[in-house]
Amino acid sequence: MPIAEQHTSSEAAQTSSDKSWHGIVLQTLKRNEISLVPYVPDRVLTPLIKNLHADPFFTTFATAREEEAVGIVSGAWMGGRRGAVLMQTSGFATLANVLASLAVPYQIPLIMFVSERGTLGEFNYGQSLVCRTMRPVLDSLALEHHTITRLDELEFIADRSIKQAVTTQAPVALILNPLLTGGKVFDK
Amino acid sequence: MDTDARNTKVMNRFDVTSRLIAKLEREEAVIGGIGNTNFDLWAAGHRPQNFYMLGSMGLAFPIALGVALAQPDRRVFALEGDGSLLMQLGALSTIAALKPKNLIMIVMDNGIYQITGAQPTPAANVADIVAIATGSGLANSAWAADEEDFERLVEEAMSASEPSLIAVRIDDKPGVGATRRDPVQIRERFMHGLGVREPL
Ligand SMILES: Cc1ncc(C[n+]2csc(CCOP(=O)(O)OP(=O)(O)O)c2C)c(N)n1
């Protein structure tokens, strides 16, 4: 069980999956009318992806590359439909070009959820190195980003960040830290 | 498949683009890929439903897919160079899986990266774009034999019940115009053209 869920299990209604990190993300997407959710999967994102597929409100599907997913939600935004992209840290590392040549200059409110690999118990050296490239790339483009570590802050950060992205027409990256999701450890 | 490609006439990007634009009567969206592809779209005459890519090489089809998913009642065309498409071949399968029937993909195949100095692409002498598209799940893919055939394929695609891909063999000429490189205005005008927003 993810650490964050263990911490809150006594206070929160245990039966409601809405109080899990992925339940909160799903509900926040829905409340903000984000219905198009392409992704390249990550193990940690599995329950979120599964529940998005199960909910007819969402059009959710895998793409071959993360930048493809960014292109899709950018086109959808211009056509009047909101989307968000789900990916892993290594997927984010493929996006510098599309961020700098599409999302930022065209002022597209690209909403990204990044499952953070490479920290807090990473067992793959390559993943830990890729992870170190993420925040410098975000900072170099002055992109808004938040690292979410606590379940009790997730809804506030996600909801406010989505609204800010839309109203300021600027991309945002919401980084889902292992403290929130439990992450992926060697014996899993 | 190879024979199909070899038997096609070598056409011209600007001419083919102009023929496409002349056929549009229902505010169809058109996404122009990086470089020459959107330069010729611009040169064919600006329309509010045109979107011009100034970067993000290879994303003309994904961007068009997004528009097509957002507006299923509007036909959406995407113009892409062969070199650009090679960067994002996986997108063909994504489109095949989703089957948006309002999406029409046009590939301008000159076998080269014209705009960067006309270097041959790795696919130039070995791969067939229509075979790749068909193999990616896009059954409704064809080479245009000549200009007339191109126009016929466009007409067919406009009432097709699945996504269409039309590949056009073109010469090595550069684009004839140059898009005004104002990304915010391009995006905003496009959104007005699609009826998503009103001007201030
Ligand atoms: C990721 C990336 N790599 C390389 C480039 C440089 N570049 C810009 S356009 C282009 C060639 C495009 O070729 P194609 O799509 O076949 O169109 P053509 O120039 O032949 O009309 C290249 C290599 C780029 N903009 N982005």
Side-chain angles (χ1 to χ4, degrees):
Chain A
M1 186 191 253
I3 295 151
E5 284 179 40
Q6 283 168 10
H7 283 170
T8 52
S9 58
S10 49
E11 33 200 284
Q14 279 190 25
T15 47
S16 168
S17 69
D18 286 349
K19 296 293 170 218
S20 62
W21 71 265
H22 50 86
I24 290 170
V25 170
L26 186 145
Q27 288 307 328
T28 307
L29 290 173
K30 210 178 227 185
R31 191 165 349 102
N32 286 283
E33 288 163 8
I34 293 173
S35 65
L36 190 66
V37 191
Y39 60 85
V40 177
D42 167 74
R43 168 78 80 84
V44 169
L45 294 169
T46 303
L48 175 58
I49 290 168
K50 197 166 147 259
N51 293 339
L52 289 169
H53 276 285
D55 188 330
F57 174 80
F58 295 101
T59 303
T60 191
F61 52 89
T63 58
R65 286 183 69 77
E66 290 79 3
E67 60 174 348
E68 187 194 339
V70 170
I72 293 168
V73 298
S74 299
W77 163 258
M78 295 190 285
R81 183 169 179 184
R82 291 185 189 181
V85 179
L86 312 181
M87 71 194 90
Q88 179 186 92
T89 341
S90 51
F92 180 84
T94 68
L95 294 184
N97 185 49
V98 72
L99 293 173
S101 66
L102 181 68
V104 175
Y106 287 86
Q107 295 185 355
I108 290 168
L110 166 67
I111 294 155
M112 295 171 280
F113 285 88
V114 186
S115 167
E116 188 173 14
R117 279 285 306 268
T119 186
L120 297 174
E122 180 57 59
F123 51 89
N124 179 339
Y125 184 39
Q127 285 279 3
S128 67
L129 293 174
V130 167
C131 181
R132 285 173 210 161
T133 70
M134 176 165 60
R135 290 175 183 85
V137 168
L138 286 162
D139 290 337
S140 70
L141 290 167
L143 287 190
E144 183 89 3
H145 62 92
H146 296 279
T147 300
I148 311 174
T149 57
R150 293 174 54 108
L151 192 65
D152 62 351
E153 294 178 351
L154 169 60
E155 182 170 347
F156 190 94
I157 295 174
D159 188 67
R160 294 287 177 103
S161 296
I162 290 168
K163 290 180 164 70
Q164 180 172 333
V166 169
T167 51
T168 64
Q169 304 192 101
V172 66
L174 297 170
I175 301 163
L176 307 174
N177 187 264
L179 282 165
L180 177 77
T181 61
K184 185 169 183 240
V185 288
F186 190 60
D187 61 359
K188 269 190 193 166
Chain B
M1 285 297 180
D2 271 335
T3 338
D4 286 356
R6 264 197 300 272
N7 285 342
T8 58
K9 182 177 167 193
V10 175
M11 293 171 258
N12 174 268
R13 189 191 312 96
F14 175 66
D15 177 63
V16 167
T17 306
S18 303
R19 286 168 188 270
L20 168 69
I21 298 305
K23 289 213 159 292
L24 304 182
E25 289 172 350
R26 290 187 295 159
E27 303 193 345
E28 292 88 347
V30 185
I31 312 297
I34 189 173
N36 290 321
T37 317
N38 81 72
F39 291 175
D40 275 341
L41 176 62
W42 172 270
H46 175 70
R47 331 163 34 250
Q49 294 81 24
N50 286 359
F51 181 76
Y52 310 93
M53 282 164 55
L54 303 176
S56 61
M57 183 171 169
L59 291 186
F61 292 175
I63 292 170
L65 171 62
V67 177
L69 291 172
Q71 302 206 352
D73 293 331
R74 186 190 302 273
R75 295 269 154 196
V76 182
F77 287 83
L79 308 172
E80 187 70 297
D82 56 331
S84 297
L85 177 60
L86 284 175
M87 272 207 182
Q88 213 65 239
L89 289 178
L92 297 174
S93 293
T94 308
I95 292 163
L98 291 167
K99 300 185 188 66
K101 63 175 187 200
N102 55 331
L103 178 60
I104 301 147
M105 296 158 273
I106 296 173
V107 185
M108 302 291 184
D109 185 5
N110 51 13
I112 55 177
Y113 301 106
Q114 199 286 332
I115 205 165
T116 53
Q119 304 85 351
T121 73
N125 297 309
V126 291
D128 181 295
I129 300 252
V130 168
I132 290 171
T134 309
S136 301
L138 293 167
N140 195 17
S141 303
W143 282 105
D146 54 22
E147 288 84 355
E148 221 168 82
D149 192 42
F150 172 76
E151 293 191 7
R152 184 187 63 77
L153 288 167
V154 167
E155 262 159 42
E156 260 178 34
M158 296 229 234
S159 55
S161 54
E162 57 182 319
S164 316
L165 184 142
I166 304 169
V168 184
R169 218 148 60 94
I170 59 163
D171 59 32
D172 60 359
K173 299 283 183 300
V176 305
T179 308
R180 242 170 77 189
R181 292 179 178 82
D182 185 340
V184 170
Q185 199 171 167
I186 289 171
R187 195 259 309 134
E188 189 69 18
R189 296 286 297 271
F190 184 58
M191 291 176 82
H192 299 160
L194 297 188
V196 173
R197 284 188 179 171
E198 298 284 320
L200 281 179

